[in-house]
Amino acid sequence: EAGVVQSPRYKIIEKKQPVAFWCNPISGHNTLYWYLQNLGQGPELLIRYENEEAVDDSQLPKDRFSAERLKGVDSTLKIQPAELGDSAVYLCASSKTSGRWNEQFFGPGTRLTVL
Amino acid sequence: AQKVTQAQTEISVVEKEDVTLDCVYETRDTTYYLFWYKQPPSGELVFLIRRNSFDEQNEISGRYSWNFQKSTSSFNFTITASQVVDSAVYFCALSESYNQGGKLIFGQGTELSVKP
């Protein structure tokens, strides 16, 4: 079974430029999560999808961040414009369903560097 | 407010030593789940174990064991006879009952370095 796929693995951009990250969850997984991981910290949830619906985006900085999950499968996270403080690893995870007991499967992440 | 604390930022051991990674959590919920994840240099978090708040039995899986003590709000992880391949960052995480979406609250992680 293929794992969670993310691309690109690395991205270097200049501040004020836009950037987008893509995630393909495990087949059959209805719940998709985007996490932000700063250096030396644990991941923090940005947004959670149940199929196509964003059911928890309370931690997403909506002035510059946006996300979508068309057709309830792949998802894209976008930052426009990027700031220096956005340099971090962006992790995508998926689980079969939502629920506090569910094991989440993580992708390798996209490491963003904003210059 | 929920919180997970991993007080050990870095641990360095020599191969074959036993090592314990500490995790202390805070929650007002009576029903919650605790997790441990491993993050090797490749970056992908790997699930290790899940425990619910009603199950305080210790668990052993090969060289790994977990000690859950509700009385002290701790969920510690021990690696017996450590190996170089155990080198990684280990995260403890909490998921609470009110949060039906499975949001994980992670600790800051403990970086384990096992030297040959």
Side-chain angles (χ1 to χ4, degrees), chain A residues 3-4 9 31 33 35 37 40-45 48 50 56 58-59 89 91 98-109, chain B residues 9 31-33 35 37 39 41-47 50 89 91 95-109:
Chain A
V4 176
R9 289 295 313 276
T31 307
Y33 310 78
Y35 287 86
Q37 185 176 19
Q41 303 291 320
E44 299 176 21
L45 182 70
R48 171 173 65 90
E50 294 294 338
D56 182 359
S58 57
Q59 302 300 312
V89 175
L91 294 165
S98 63
R100 60 190 183 276
W101 60 88
N102 275 315
E103 175 187 347
Q104 295 180 25
F105 295 82
F106 285 80
Chain B
T9 304
T31 304
Y32 50 89
Y33 281 74
F35 299 77
Y37 279 84
Q39 188 174 40
S42 61
E44 194 168 324
L45 278 91
V46 177
F47 168 81
R50 168 184 49 226
V89 181
F91 290 97
S95 182
E96 298 176 293
S97 63
Y98 78 92
N99 175 17
Q100 295 302 308
K103 173 182 176 180
L104 291 173
I105 308 297
F106 285 88
Q108 291 185 304

Side-chain angles (χ1 to χ4, degrees), chain B residues 43-84:
Chain B
E44 194 168 324
L45 278 91
V46 177
F47 168 81
L48 295 177
I49 191 172
R50 168 184 49 226
R51 249 308 173 255
N52 75 56
S53 52
F54 295 104
D55 183 1
E56 290 194 67
Q57 280 191 334
N58 292 333
E59 177 144 346
I60 298 175
S61 176
R63 296 185 297 107
Y64 295 170
S65 62
W66 290 269
N67 184 327
F68 175 32
Q69 293 197 344
K70 212 168 177 178
S71 60
T72 56
S73 298
S74 65
F75 186 42
N76 296 336
F77 172 31
T78 297
I79 301 174
T80 302
S82 60
Q83 300 177 1
V84 173

